[in-house]
Amino acid sequence: MSYALSPPSTSRRSGLLTIVIGLHAGALLLALAAKTVAPQIMEMPLIVDLLPAPQIEAPPEAKPLPMAKPEPVVRKPLPQPKTPAPVLETTASTAPADNAPVAPPQLAEPTPPAPAPTAPAISQARFDADYLRNPPPPYPPLSRRMGEEGRVILRVSVNPQGTADSVEVRTSSGSSRLDDSALRTVRNWRFIPAKRGDVAVQSFVLVPIIFKLEQ
């Protein structure tokens, strides 16, 4: 079974049109009312005042505190303990007295060093003993005729056996003939050797010889 839609009537169309027009008119009125009531916003220029930045005071620099010089420490010398002087008992008793300080032991006196052995005495060699029978040097004939005189000193090395090892002229007489005569004679002399204690030793001896013509 089917139903067919009937077209609306004229009165119904006019009523709908009236409703639409009324709605449009109400919306227009509402828009006008809203425009009247809404506050107008005026554009104002933006003014900005730049204020100077506040100056921040810098904190004061910390000054180094003055260093106090350390005072030199003076060390006072410690008091030395007084040592009691020893008291010597004068009683005849040999027992020590009560509460008596003991005297310090006496140090033994150092023994003196033994005296060094004395060196044995040294006796010089001799040539003038009578028992030696040493002949005098002969006077050279030519020196006698020429009248030569003088004093010669000979240095003689005497061995422990009492003979001459060497003879040399220490001081000349001024004449070679006189000096040679003295040298030849003294080389054959006998001597008493020098001694160190009781031991004969080598030594030197000076032998003076005078050549003088008899008037």
Side-chain angles (χ1 to χ4, degrees):
M1 181 174 180
S2 59
Y3 296 92
L5 295 176
S6 61
S9 62
T10 307
S11 59
R12 191 173 180 181
R13 289 178 180 178
S14 60
L16 291 172
L17 183 60
T18 303
I19 292 172
V20 172
I21 294 170
L23 289 175
H24 282 284
L28 181 60
L29 292 175
L30 287 175
L32 293 173
K35 186 175 181 181
T36 305
V37 175
Q40 295 181 359
I41 299 173
M42 297 179 65
E43 293 182 1
M44 298 294 292
L46 181 61
I47 300 173
V48 179
D49 291 335
L50 297 177
L51 298 177
Q55 296 182 357
I56 300 175
E57 295 182 358
E61 296 181 359
K63 295 182 178 180
L65 297 177
M67 298 295 292
K69 294 183 179 180
E71 296 182 357
V73 179
V74 179
R75 295 183 178 180
K76 296 182 178 180
L78 298 177
Q80 298 292 334
K82 296 181 179 179
T83 54
V87 178
L88 300 178
E89 294 292 334
T90 57
T91 57
S93 175
T94 58
D98 295 336
N99 299 328
V102 179
Q106 295 182 355
L107 298 176
E109 294 182 358
T111 57
T118 57
I122 298 177
S123 60
Q124 299 297 327
R126 295 179 57 188
F127 59 89
D128 55 351
D130 294 337
Y131 64 88
L132 295 176
R133 298 179 181 178
N134 290 323
Y139 216 112
L142 185 56
S143 297
R144 185 184 298 271
R145 287 195 300 268
M146 297 179 60
E148 293 178 346
E149 296 180 348
R151 181 170 180 264
V152 58
I153 299 177
L154 303 178
R155 184 174 183 265
V156 183
S157 175
V158 180
N159 58 35
Q161 287 73 32
T163 58
D165 284 345
S166 64
V167 181
E168 60 184 8
V169 176
R170 179 70 176 270
T171 303
S172 174
S173 63
S175 172
S176 59
R177 286 179 289 272
L178 299 179
D179 294 344
D180 291 341
S181 176
L183 286 171
R184 288 193 300 269
T185 303
V186 172
R187 285 193 183 101
N188 297 319
W189 277 9
R190 297 288 302 178
F191 296 87
I192 300 174
K195 290 185 178 180
R196 181 180 290 113
D198 296 332
V199 181
V201 293
Q202 187 87 16
S203 66
F204 287 91
V205 63
L206 296 179
V207 179
I209 298 175
I210 300 174
F211 290 89
K212 187 174 178 59
L213 294 173
E214 296 180 356
Q215 298 299 330

Short mmCIF file of all heavy atoms in Angstrom, two decimals, residues 12-73:
data_model
loop_
_atom_site.label_atom_id
_atom_site.label_comp_id
_atom_site.label_asym_id
_atom_site.label_seq_id
_atom_site.Cartn_x
_atom_site.Cartn_y
_atom_site.Cartn_z
N ARG A 12 -0.39 27.47 4.23
CA ARG A 12 0.76 26.87 5.00
C ARG A 12 2.07 27.45 4.53
O ARG A 12 2.98 27.72 5.31
CB ARG A 12 0.77 25.34 4.82
CG ARG A 12 1.72 24.63 5.79
CD ARG A 12 1.51 23.16 5.61
NE ARG A 12 2.41 22.43 6.50
CZ ARG A 12 2.50 21.12 6.60
NH1 ARG A 12 1.68 20.35 5.79
NH2 ARG A 12 3.33 20.56 7.44
N ARG A 13 2.23 27.73 3.23
CA ARG A 13 3.42 28.31 2.71
C ARG A 13 3.60 29.71 3.24
O ARG A 13 4.71 30.10 3.61
CB ARG A 13 3.38 28.35 1.16
CG ARG A 13 3.52 26.98 0.54
CD ARG A 13 3.41 27.16 -0.96
NE ARG A 13 3.53 25.87 -1.63
CZ ARG A 13 3.45 25.65 -2.91
NH1 ARG A 13 3.28 26.72 -3.73
NH2 ARG A 13 3.55 24.44 -3.42
N SER A 14 2.61 30.48 3.32
CA SER A 14 2.71 31.85 3.83
C SER A 14 3.09 31.87 5.28
O SER A 14 3.85 32.70 5.76
CB SER A 14 1.41 32.61 3.59
OG SER A 14 0.31 31.95 4.26
N GLY A 15 2.60 30.90 6.03
CA GLY A 15 2.98 30.84 7.47
C GLY A 15 4.46 30.52 7.66
O GLY A 15 5.14 31.09 8.52
N LEU A 16 4.97 29.61 6.83
CA LEU A 16 6.39 29.27 6.96
C LEU A 16 7.26 30.44 6.57
O LEU A 16 8.32 30.71 7.18
CB LEU A 16 6.73 28.05 6.07
CG LEU A 16 6.12 26.71 6.51
CD1 LEU A 16 6.37 25.64 5.46
CD2 LEU A 16 6.67 26.32 7.86
N LEU A 17 6.87 31.16 5.52
CA LEU A 17 7.63 32.31 5.07
C LEU A 17 7.66 33.39 6.14
O LEU A 17 8.69 34.03 6.37
CB LEU A 17 7.05 32.85 3.76
CG LEU A 17 7.76 34.03 3.11
CD1 LEU A 17 9.20 33.66 2.77
CD2 LEU A 17 7.00 34.50 1.84
N THR A 18 6.50 33.56 6.79
CA THR A 18 6.45 34.56 7.89
C THR A 18 7.42 34.18 9.01
O THR A 18 8.12 35.01 9.59
CB THR A 18 5.03 34.67 8.41
OG1 THR A 18 4.18 35.00 7.33
CG2 THR A 18 4.94 35.73 9.49
N ILE A 19 7.51 32.90 9.31
CA ILE A 19 8.40 32.45 10.40
C ILE A 19 9.84 32.70 10.02
O ILE A 19 10.67 33.15 10.81
CB ILE A 19 8.13 30.97 10.69
CG1 ILE A 19 6.73 30.79 11.29
CG2 ILE A 19 9.21 30.40 11.65
CD1 ILE A 19 6.28 29.35 11.43
N VAL A 20 10.21 32.45 8.77
CA VAL A 20 11.60 32.64 8.34
C VAL A 20 11.96 34.10 8.38
O VAL A 20 13.04 34.49 8.82
CB VAL A 20 11.80 32.04 6.93
CG1 VAL A 20 13.17 32.41 6.39
CG2 VAL A 20 11.61 30.54 6.95
N ILE A 21 11.04 34.96 7.89
CA ILE A 21 11.32 36.40 7.91
C ILE A 21 11.47 36.89 9.33
O ILE A 21 12.33 37.70 9.68
CB ILE A 21 10.23 37.18 7.16
CG1 ILE A 21 10.27 36.79 5.67
CG2 ILE A 21 10.38 38.68 7.34
CD1 ILE A 21 9.04 37.34 4.89
N GLY A 22 10.62 36.34 10.23
CA GLY A 22 10.70 36.75 11.65
C GLY A 22 12.04 36.35 12.28
O GLY A 22 12.62 37.08 13.07
N LEU A 23 12.49 35.18 11.88
CA LEU A 23 13.78 34.74 12.46
C LEU A 23 14.91 35.63 11.97
O LEU A 23 15.81 36.00 12.73
CB LEU A 23 14.02 33.27 12.06
CG LEU A 23 13.10 32.23 12.74
CD1 LEU A 23 13.36 30.84 12.17
CD2 LEU A 23 13.32 32.26 14.25
N HIS A 24 14.87 36.02 10.69
CA HIS A 24 15.92 36.87 10.16
C HIS A 24 15.90 38.24 10.80
O HIS A 24 16.94 38.82 11.11
CB HIS A 24 15.79 36.99 8.63
CG HIS A 24 16.31 35.78 7.89
ND1 HIS A 24 17.65 35.50 7.71
CD2 HIS A 24 15.63 34.77 7.26
CE1 HIS A 24 17.77 34.39 7.02
NE2 HIS A 24 16.53 33.89 6.74
N ALA A 25 14.68 38.74 11.01
CA ALA A 25 14.55 40.06 11.65
C ALA A 25 15.06 40.02 13.08
O ALA A 25 15.73 40.93 13.57
CB ALA A 25 13.09 40.51 11.61
N GLY A 26 14.75 38.92 13.79
CA GLY A 26 15.25 38.81 15.18
C GLY A 26 16.76 38.73 15.23
O GLY A 26 17.42 39.31 16.10
N ALA A 27 17.32 38.01 14.24
CA ALA A 27 18.80 37.91 14.25
C ALA A 27 19.43 39.24 13.95
O ALA A 27 20.48 39.60 14.52
CB ALA A 27 19.23 36.85 13.22
N LEU A 28 18.83 40.04 13.08
CA LEU A 28 19.36 41.34 12.75
C LEU A 28 19.31 42.27 13.94
O LEU A 28 20.24 43.03 14.21
CB LEU A 28 18.60 41.92 11.54
CG LEU A 28 19.05 43.28 11.03
CD1 LEU A 28 20.51 43.23 10.58
CD2 LEU A 28 18.15 43.77 9.85
N LEU A 29 18.19 42.23 14.65
CA LEU A 29 18.04 43.06 15.85
C LEU A 29 19.07 42.68 16.90
O LEU A 29 19.67 43.51 17.58
CB LEU A 29 16.61 42.93 16.41
CG LEU A 29 15.49 43.55 15.55
CD1 LEU A 29 14.08 43.23 16.16
CD2 LEU A 29 15.65 45.05 15.45
N LEU A 30 19.25 41.42 17.05
CA LEU A 30 20.25 40.98 18.06
C LEU A 30 21.65 41.47 17.68
O LEU A 30 22.46 41.89 18.52
CB LEU A 30 20.25 39.46 18.16
CG LEU A 30 19.03 38.82 18.86
CD1 LEU A 30 19.10 37.31 18.77
CD2 LEU A 30 18.95 39.28 20.30
N ALA A 31 21.91 41.46 16.34
CA ALA A 31 23.25 41.92 15.92
C ALA A 31 23.41 43.40 16.16
O ALA A 31 24.47 43.86 16.58
CB ALA A 31 23.45 41.58 14.44
N LEU A 32 22.36 44.17 15.88
CA LEU A 32 22.45 45.60 16.14
C LEU A 32 22.57 45.91 17.61
O LEU A 32 23.35 46.79 18.03
CB LEU A 32 21.22 46.32 15.55
CG LEU A 32 21.12 46.30 14.01
CD1 LEU A 32 19.73 46.92 13.58
CD2 LEU A 32 22.24 47.09 13.39
N ALA A 33 21.83 45.15 18.41
CA ALA A 33 21.90 45.39 19.87
C ALA A 33 23.30 45.06 20.40
O ALA A 33 23.88 45.75 21.23
CB ALA A 33 20.83 44.55 20.56
N ALA A 34 23.86 44.00 19.89
CA ALA A 34 25.21 43.64 20.36
C ALA A 34 26.24 44.66 19.96
O ALA A 34 27.17 44.96 20.69
CB ALA A 34 25.55 42.24 19.78
N LYS A 35 26.05 45.25 18.75
CA LYS A 35 27.00 46.25 18.30
C LYS A 35 26.88 47.51 19.13
O LYS A 35 27.87 48.18 19.41
CB LYS A 35 26.78 46.54 16.83
CG LYS A 35 27.81 47.46 16.21
CD LYS A 35 27.55 47.58 14.71
CE LYS A 35 28.61 48.49 14.06
NZ LYS A 35 28.39 48.64 12.60
N THR A 36 25.67 47.86 19.56
CA THR A 36 25.46 49.05 20.39
C THR A 36 25.99 48.85 21.78
O THR A 36 26.62 49.71 22.39
CB THR A 36 23.96 49.40 20.45
OG1 THR A 36 23.49 49.53 19.12
CG2 THR A 36 23.73 50.68 21.21
N VAL A 37 25.77 47.70 22.34
CA VAL A 37 26.20 47.43 23.73
C VAL A 37 27.70 47.21 23.82
O VAL A 37 28.35 47.56 24.80
CB VAL A 37 25.41 46.23 24.28
CG1 VAL A 37 25.92 45.85 25.65
CG2 VAL A 37 23.94 46.54 24.31
N ALA A 38 28.32 46.60 22.83
CA ALA A 38 29.77 46.25 22.93
C ALA A 38 30.60 47.51 23.06
O ALA A 38 30.40 48.46 22.31
CB ALA A 38 30.20 45.47 21.70
N PRO A 39 31.51 47.61 24.01
CA PRO A 39 32.36 48.79 24.20
C PRO A 39 33.36 48.90 23.06
O PRO A 39 33.83 47.91 22.53
CB PRO A 39 33.06 48.53 25.52
CG PRO A 39 33.09 47.05 25.64
CD PRO A 39 31.81 46.53 24.97
N GLN A 40 33.58 50.12 22.67
CA GLN A 40 34.55 50.38 21.64
C GLN A 40 35.95 50.50 22.28
O GLN A 40 36.14 51.22 23.25
CB GLN A 40 34.20 51.67 20.89
CG GLN A 40 32.88 51.56 20.12
CD GLN A 40 32.56 52.85 19.36
OE1 GLN A 40 33.33 53.81 19.45
NE2 GLN A 40 31.44 52.84 18.59
N ILE A 41 36.86 49.82 21.71
CA ILE A 41 38.25 49.80 22.22
C ILE A 41 39.03 50.77 21.39
O ILE A 41 39.13 50.64 20.18
CB ILE A 41 38.86 48.40 22.13
CG1 ILE A 41 38.06 47.41 22.97
CG2 ILE A 41 40.32 48.42 22.58
CD1 ILE A 41 38.48 45.99 22.82
N MET A 42 39.53 51.85 22.04
CA MET A 42 40.31 52.88 21.37
C MET A 42 41.79 52.46 21.39
O MET A 42 42.30 51.98 22.41
CB MET A 42 40.13 54.24 22.05
CG MET A 42 38.69 54.74 22.00
SD MET A 42 38.52 56.33 22.85
CE MET A 42 39.52 57.34 21.80
N GLU A 43 42.35 52.63 20.30
CA GLU A 43 43.78 52.32 20.22
C GLU A 43 44.57 53.47 20.81
O GLU A 43 44.48 54.60 20.32
CB GLU A 43 44.17 52.08 18.76
CG GLU A 43 43.54 50.84 18.17
CD GLU A 43 44.00 50.62 16.75
OE1 GLU A 43 44.82 51.46 16.28
OE2 GLU A 43 43.60 49.62 16.13
N MET A 44 45.29 53.22 21.88
CA MET A 44 46.11 54.22 22.56
C MET A 44 47.58 53.94 22.21
O MET A 44 48.03 52.79 22.16
CB MET A 44 45.91 54.14 24.07
CG MET A 44 44.47 54.42 24.51
SD MET A 44 44.00 56.11 24.18
CE MET A 44 45.04 56.97 25.33
N PRO A 45 48.32 55.05 21.99
CA PRO A 45 49.76 54.80 21.72
C PRO A 45 50.45 54.26 22.95
O PRO A 45 50.19 54.67 24.08
CB PRO A 45 50.32 56.18 21.34
CG PRO A 45 49.38 57.12 21.99
CD PRO A 45 47.99 56.48 21.97
N LEU A 46 51.38 53.33 22.74
CA LEU A 46 52.13 52.69 23.82
C LEU A 46 53.35 53.53 24.14
O LEU A 46 54.19 53.78 23.28
CB LEU A 46 52.55 51.27 23.42
CG LEU A 46 53.32 50.48 24.46
CD1 LEU A 46 52.47 50.27 25.70
CD2 LEU A 46 53.74 49.13 23.87
N ILE A 47 53.39 54.08 25.34
CA ILE A 47 54.49 54.92 25.80
C ILE A 47 55.25 54.14 26.86
O ILE A 47 54.68 53.73 27.88
CB ILE A 47 54.00 56.25 26.36
CG1 ILE A 47 53.25 57.02 25.27
CG2 ILE A 47 55.15 57.07 26.89
CD1 ILE A 47 52.59 58.28 25.79
N VAL A 48 56.51 53.95 26.60
CA VAL A 48 57.37 53.21 27.54
C VAL A 48 58.48 54.13 27.98
O VAL A 48 59.24 54.65 27.16
CB VAL A 48 57.95 51.95 26.88
CG1 VAL A 48 58.84 51.21 27.88
CG2 VAL A 48 56.82 51.03 26.40
N ASP A 49 58.54 54.43 29.25
CA ASP A 49 59.65 55.22 29.82
C ASP A 49 60.77 54.28 30.25
O ASP A 49 60.54 53.34 31.05
CB ASP A 49 59.16 56.03 31.02
CG ASP A 49 58.20 57.13 30.59
OD1 ASP A 49 58.33 57.53 29.42
OD2 ASP A 49 57.40 57.54 31.43
N LEU A 50 61.96 54.54 29.69
CA LEU A 50 63.13 53.73 30.06
C LEU A 50 63.77 54.32 31.30
O LEU A 50 64.30 55.44 31.27
CB LEU A 50 64.13 53.69 28.90
CG LEU A 50 63.61 53.04 27.62
CD1 LEU A 50 64.67 53.14 26.52
CD2 LEU A 50 63.23 51.59 27.86
N LEU A 51 63.69 53.64 32.36
CA LEU A 51 64.29 54.08 33.61
C LEU A 51 65.75 53.61 33.65
O LEU A 51 66.07 52.50 33.21
CB LEU A 51 63.52 53.51 34.80
CG LEU A 51 62.05 53.96 34.91
CD1 LEU A 51 61.38 53.27 36.08
CD2 LEU A 51 61.95 55.46 35.05
N PRO A 52 66.65 54.49 34.18
CA PRO A 52 68.06 54.03 34.28
C PRO A 52 68.19 52.87 35.24
O PRO A 52 67.48 52.79 36.25
CB PRO A 52 68.80 55.27 34.79
CG PRO A 52 67.75 56.06 35.49
CD PRO A 52 66.45 55.83 34.74
N ALA A 53 69.06 51.99 34.86
CA ALA A 53 69.27 50.81 35.72
C ALA A 53 69.88 51.24 37.05
O ALA A 53 70.76 52.11 37.10
CB ALA A 53 70.20 49.82 35.03
N PRO A 54 69.42 50.71 38.12
CA PRO A 54 69.97 51.10 39.44
C PRO A 54 71.46 50.69 39.54
O PRO A 54 71.85 49.61 39.12
CB PRO A 54 69.12 50.32 40.43
CG PRO A 54 68.60 49.15 39.66
CD PRO A 54 68.41 49.64 38.25
N GLN A 55 72.26 51.65 40.03
CA GLN A 55 73.70 51.38 40.19
C GLN A 55 73.93 50.50 41.41
O GLN A 55 73.45 50.81 42.51
CB GLN A 55 74.48 52.69 40.35
CG GLN A 55 74.43 53.57 39.12
CD GLN A 55 75.24 54.82 39.30
OE1 GLN A 55 75.79 55.02 40.38
NE2 GLN A 55 75.31 55.63 38.25
N ILE A 56 74.65 49.40 41.15
CA ILE A 56 74.94 48.46 42.24
C ILE A 56 76.33 48.77 42.74
O ILE A 56 77.31 48.75 41.99
CB ILE A 56 74.85 47.01 41.75
CG1 ILE A 56 73.44 46.73 41.21
CG2 ILE A 56 75.21 46.05 42.86
CD1 ILE A 56 73.29 45.36 40.59
N GLU A 57 76.41 49.16 43.96
CA GLU A 57 77.72 49.47 44.55
C GLU A 57 78.56 48.20 44.66
O GLU A 57 78.10 47.18 45.16
CB GLU A 57 77.54 50.11 45.92
CG GLU A 57 76.86 51.46 45.87
CD GLU A 57 76.76 52.06 47.25
OE1 GLU A 57 77.20 51.38 48.20
OE2 GLU A 57 76.27 53.20 47.39
N ALA A 58 79.77 48.34 44.12
CA ALA A 58 80.70 47.20 44.23
C ALA A 58 81.13 47.01 45.67
O ALA A 58 81.37 47.99 46.39
CB ALA A 58 81.92 47.42 43.35
N PRO A 59 81.21 45.81 46.09
CA PRO A 59 81.64 45.59 47.48
C PRO A 59 83.08 46.04 47.68
O PRO A 59 83.91 45.91 46.79
CB PRO A 59 81.52 44.06 47.67
CG PRO A 59 81.60 43.51 46.29
CD PRO A 59 80.95 44.54 45.39
N PRO A 60 83.39 46.66 48.78
CA PRO A 60 84.77 47.14 49.01
C PRO A 60 85.75 45.97 48.99
O PRO A 60 85.45 44.88 49.48
CB PRO A 60 84.70 47.79 50.40
CG PRO A 60 83.53 47.13 51.06
CD PRO A 60 82.54 46.86 49.96
N GLU A 61 86.91 46.27 48.33
CA GLU A 61 87.94 45.23 48.27
C GLU A 61 88.49 44.95 49.67
O GLU A 61 88.77 45.87 50.44
CB GLU A 61 89.09 45.68 47.35
CG GLU A 61 88.66 45.85 45.92
CD GLU A 61 89.82 46.26 45.05
OE1 GLU A 61 90.92 46.42 45.63
OE2 GLU A 61 89.64 46.40 43.83
N ALA A 62 88.67 43.68 49.91
CA ALA A 62 89.18 43.30 51.23
C ALA A 62 90.68 43.53 51.28
O ALA A 62 91.43 42.99 50.47
CB ALA A 62 88.88 41.83 51.51
N LYS A 63 91.12 44.41 52.13
CA LYS A 63 92.55 44.70 52.27
C LYS A 63 93.20 43.64 53.14
O LYS A 63 92.63 43.22 54.14
CB LYS A 63 92.76 46.08 52.90
CG LYS A 63 92.26 47.20 52.01
CD LYS A 63 92.53 48.54 52.65
CE LYS A 63 92.08 49.68 51.74
NZ LYS A 63 92.35 51.01 52.36
N PRO A 64 94.41 43.19 52.73
CA PRO A 64 95.07 42.17 53.58
C PRO A 64 95.44 42.75 54.93
O PRO A 64 95.90 43.88 55.04
CB PRO A 64 96.32 41.79 52.76
CG PRO A 64 96.56 42.97 51.89
CD PRO A 64 95.20 43.56 51.56
N LEU A 65 95.18 41.98 55.90
CA LEU A 65 95.51 42.41 57.25
C LEU A 65 97.02 42.45 57.43
O LEU A 65 97.75 41.61 56.89
CB LEU A 65 94.89 41.44 58.27
CG LEU A 65 93.36 41.38 58.27
CD1 LEU A 65 92.89 40.34 59.26
CD2 LEU A 65 92.75 42.74 58.61
N PRO A 66 97.55 43.44 58.10
CA PRO A 66 99.02 43.50 58.32
C PRO A 66 99.47 42.31 59.15
O PRO A 66 98.87 41.96 60.15
CB PRO A 66 99.21 44.82 59.07
CG PRO A 66 97.89 45.09 59.70
CD PRO A 66 96.84 44.55 58.76
N MET A 67 100.56 41.70 58.64
CA MET A 67 101.11 40.53 59.34
C MET A 67 101.96 41.00 60.52
O MET A 67 102.84 41.84 60.36
CB MET A 67 101.98 39.71 58.39
CG MET A 67 101.20 39.12 57.20
SD MET A 67 99.96 37.92 57.72
CE MET A 67 101.03 36.64 58.32
N ALA A 68 101.64 40.48 61.62
CA ALA A 68 102.41 40.85 62.82
C ALA A 68 103.71 40.08 62.83
O ALA A 68 103.76 38.88 62.56
CB ALA A 68 101.60 40.53 64.08
N LYS A 69 104.82 40.79 63.03
CA LYS A 69 106.13 40.15 63.09
C LYS A 69 106.23 39.28 64.33
O LYS A 69 105.93 39.73 65.43
CB LYS A 69 107.24 41.18 63.09
CG LYS A 69 107.33 41.98 61.80
CD LYS A 69 108.50 42.94 61.86
CE LYS A 69 108.60 43.72 60.56
NZ LYS A 69 109.75 44.67 60.61
N PRO A 70 106.63 38.03 64.11
CA PRO A 70 106.74 37.18 65.30
C PRO A 70 107.88 37.64 66.19
O PRO A 70 108.98 37.93 65.74
CB PRO A 70 107.03 35.79 64.72
CG PRO A 70 107.64 36.07 63.39
CD PRO A 70 106.98 37.33 62.88
N GLU A 71 107.58 37.78 67.42
CA GLU A 71 108.62 38.19 68.36
C GLU A 71 109.59 37.04 68.61
O GLU A 71 109.18 35.88 68.69
CB GLU A 71 107.98 38.63 69.68
CG GLU A 71 107.08 39.85 69.54
CD GLU A 71 106.51 40.26 70.88
OE1 GLU A 71 106.79 39.53 71.87
OE2 GLU A 71 105.80 41.28 70.93
N PRO A 72 110.88 37.34 68.62
CA PRO A 72 111.85 36.26 68.88
C PRO A 72 111.64 35.66 70.26
O PRO A 72 111.46 36.36 71.24
CB PRO A 72 113.21 36.96 68.77
CG PRO A 72 112.91 38.39 69.02
CD PRO A 72 111.52 38.65 68.50
N VAL A 73 111.67 34.35 70.20
CA VAL A 73 111.47 33.64 71.47
C VAL A 73 112.79 33.57 72.21
O VAL A 73 113.78 33.06 71.70
CB VAL A 73 110.92 32.22 71.19
CG1 VAL A 73 110.74 31.47 72.51
CG2 VAL A 73 109.61 32.31 70.43
#
